[in-house]
Amino acid sequence: IIFSLLVGIAGCKSNKKEPNNYYLSGTPVIEEVDLSEIYIPVEPQTRTQETRPDGWEQFDFIRDLEVKTFPYTESTDFDNYSFTYILTPEEKQLLQLDELLEEIAEINLSYRLEYSGKFLTVVINYFRGEHELFTQLINYNENLKIIDHSILAYDEIAESATRIASELLRDGFRSIHTNSWETPPTIEETTYQIKENGKIEPTQ
């Protein structure tokens, strides 16, 4: 009988539940959790590719070009010219200058003008032979196709008799042509308007 009672008591002790370890003596205890074993599903994200501007703005050598503000006097000559960005053959082809000026080896991309957001206006410089220096304005559409072009400045040192300079205005430019062949020298002024479509037209 005594043996049976001891077995029963031992059995009761083995079936006794362990106390909840979140509370010991009335004090809450926070268990340490291994976060590496926890899986949290994450929705896959689609990587967005970096977009580049459309049209001519995708080309850094054009987009980063200095922009002149109006009014601006264009009077490049042999005394003050500076070629700071000579176009590569690929860039000349892109700007269709291999067709417009196919015999010119070096063309300097000088600056931009902001006549309109509908077309691009750039100004270039180039020599024709050793004695003539030209500065030319060219308007392009968004696909870099030439809309129109015009000479802004001209200088020659063979006879030093002819000069062209221009005053660039918000809606066009005024060209000043000086001819020293005549006595007295003559000065001819022509005003050009740049239309909304990029065309260049004389107004008088």
Side-chain angles (χ1 to χ4, degrees):
I1 294 173
I2 295 174
F3 177 76
S4 299
L5 290 174
L6 293 175
V7 172
I9 293 172
C12 291
K13 288 184 179 181
S14 62
N15 292 331
K16 186 178 179 180
K17 293 184 178 180
E18 293 294 329
N20 191 330
N21 62 351
Y22 284 95
Y23 291 90
L24 296 176
S25 302
T27 303
V29 176
I30 300 176
E31 289 186 324
E32 293 185 0
V33 180
D34 186 358
L35 296 179
S36 63
E37 297 180 358
I38 299 178
Y39 171 74
I40 302 176
V42 179
E43 292 294 329
Q45 296 182 356
T46 303
R47 177 179 294 181
T48 57
Q49 296 182 350
E50 181 182 358
T51 58
R52 292 184 63 83
D54 296 327
W56 62 264
E57 291 185 334
Q58 65 185 295
F59 301 103
D60 294 342
F61 78 99
I62 300 175
R63 188 179 65 250
D64 297 339
L65 199 59
E66 178 186 7
V67 179
K68 298 292 187 183
T69 57
F70 302 108
Y72 179 75
T73 300
E74 174 50 68
S75 58
T76 301
D77 58 24
F78 277 92
D79 293 327
N80 63 20
Y81 79 90
S82 176
F83 282 17
T84 58
Y85 190 93
I86 304 299
L87 294 171
T88 66
E90 293 76 19
E91 291 167 345
K92 287 170 61 178
Q93 183 177 9
L94 181 68
L95 295 175
Q96 294 189 297
L97 298 178
D98 56 338
E99 301 175 14
L100 181 65
L101 302 168
E102 60 180 351
E103 77 282 8
I104 305 300
E106 290 190 350
I107 299 175
N108 177 64
L109 188 60
S110 187
Y111 55 87
R112 284 197 293 122
L113 296 168
E114 293 185 341
Y115 280 111
S116 171
K118 298 179 181 179
F119 56 86
L120 165 70
T121 302
V122 301
V123 175
I124 62 173
N125 317 101
Y126 56 90
F127 293 105
R128 192 182 295 275
E130 297 179 355
H131 303 119
E132 293 181 294
L133 173 59
F134 292 82
T135 299
Q136 189 165 349
L137 176 150
I138 308 176
N139 288 337
Y140 292 90
N141 65 17
E142 62 179 6
N143 297 316
L144 290 180
K145 302 300 181 183
I146 294 177
I147 301 173
D148 212 343
H149 55 90
S150 181
I151 298 297
L152 293 180
Y154 170 78
D155 188 24
E156 57 87 17
I157 56 175
E159 303 292 341
S160 299
T162 303
R163 285 287 309 278
I164 298 175
S166 296
E167 183 181 2
L168 305 179
L169 308 171
R170 187 66 192 88
D171 59 350
F173 58 94
R174 186 172 78 251
S175 177
I176 305 168
H177 186 168
T178 303
N179 185 359
S180 300
W181 283 107
E182 301 181 10
T183 304
T186 60
I187 298 177
E188 181 182 348
E189 294 188 7
T190 305
T191 301
Y192 295 87
Q193 183 178 13
I194 297 183
K195 301 292 188 178
E196 292 185 0
N197 60 2
K199 287 291 185 179
I200 304 170
E201 296 182 3
T203 59
Q204 63 182 30

